[in-house]
Amino acid sequence: RPRVLSGAQPTADSYHLGNYFGAFKQWVALQDDFEAFYFIPDLHAITIEYDPAALRERTYVAAAQLLAAGVDPERSAVFVQSQVPEHAQLAWVLGGITGFGEASRMTQFKDKTTKGGSESASVGLFTYPILMAADILLYQADKVPVGEDQRQHVELTRNLAQRFNHRFGETFTVPEPYVLKATAKIYDLQEPGAKMSKSQSSPNGVVDLLDDPKKAAKKIRSAVTDSGSEIRFDPVEKPGISNLLLIFSALTDRSIDDIVAEFDGQQYGHFKVALGDLVADFVGTFGERTRELLGDRAELDRILAHGAAQAREVAATTLATVYDRSGFLPAK
Ligand code: TYM
């Protein structure tokens, strides 16, 4: 079976609706037809200032959320990046074939350093896309389901795979990004020109998957909408209402047209109340499931250990080939 791989950083106390619709929903759907590897990139999370105790807790919460979203450890390998040392090892090798200029063109690094400037950013934040390439290439992934903001990193990964293959012999599968157009970018509720983001959005612009249901409904009801009063899908003229329509559609698996028809002639307020209720139900159920899973840490540890063992089997094979092709002496 073809392989799929993806990860989501444990850099906040909860994932948000953008992560769910941009990534997790696809991860869950792909488990049927692919051999799937889904992981929590905790090594990526230490490239910004952080607190070790918080990271440890967030990693558990992240794991519980992936499972609550429907990632099934019976079908997919679910693991934590730092428990598979091959990620860091391959990243070092790939660093040797990555151009400084090429790495400098990564827009996420530029975005994250516009405020503080690159002087205060860590070298780890700069080389982070190389680690991401290692994550993907270790598993010979065919597809990488991500939101739009990660597409450039998958492109870099493709370039590095091709370069390595060309210089040292066919070694890596060249992966394809898998980006679903409709939900590739969920926008900030208060600032519908910007993506919903754990680090850059205002608290009311993001619905966390662990939000209290009432609070989540309130955030939806107070989302910025556009001038005029007509409910229609038009991301250019009506980015606010269009974002809400996308969320409605993704949550119910109904078409936008169908939803627009249902609310034809009604006020924004009415539509937002309806969506707020749907989102409240969704996060209510999601939160309950997550808390239940978090109640049994031993079971989470067991699932993650099993996932890491599955991952290591594949990762070790790829790394052994890479080391051999790279000219390293075999460890005896
Ligand atoms: P991260 O942790 O920022 O986000 C996890 C996933 O959620 C998607 N996403 C969104 N999708 C739609 N709308 C949004 N507003 C939104 N915000 C986030 C992201 O595109 C991503 O798919 N570098 C990655 C993590 C990573 C990774 C990997 C991913 C590390 N190694 C290997 C794939 C393969 C990141 O920071 O995503």
Side-chain angles (χ1 to χ4, degrees), residues 5-11 15-24 26-27 37 39-42 44 81 87 108 112 128-129 131-136 144-151 153-154 157 178-179 183-188 194-198 201:
L5 170 132
S6 200
Q9 288 200 71
T11 42
Y15 291 128
H16 56 68
L17 277 187
N19 299 132
Y20 182 80
F21 292 122
F24 306 156
Q26 279 64 261
W27 298 12
F37 295 86
F39 74 103
I40 300 160
D42 55 346
H44 279 98
Q81 189 183 31
H87 289 250
Q108 193 171 46
K112 287 197 174 167
Y128 157 127
L131 179 59
M132 178 161 162
D135 299 338
I136 298 168
V144 185
V146 286
E148 187 58 45
D149 60 341
Q150 297 300 319
R151 188 194 286 277
H153 293 158
V154 182
T157 305
Y178 178 85
V179 185
T183 49
K185 193 167 178 184
I186 302 292
Y187 293 88
D188 185 318
K195 75 167 177 183
M196 188 179 280
S197 150
K198 44 201 160 202
S201 296

Side-chain angles (χ1 to χ4, degrees), residues 240-258:
I241 207 77
S242 299
N243 188 39
L244 296 180
L245 279 166
L246 278 174
I247 294 173
F248 201 122
S249 166
L251 207 50
T252 55
D253 285 317
R254 287 171 55 190
S255 72
I256 302 248
D257 285 350
D258 189 34

Side-chain angles (χ1 to χ4, degrees), residues 256-270:
I256 302 248
D257 285 350
D258 189 34
I259 299 160
V260 168
E262 178 184 335
F263 289 94
D264 184 37
Q266 301 198 38
Q267 306 282 323
Y268 284 163
H270 189 90

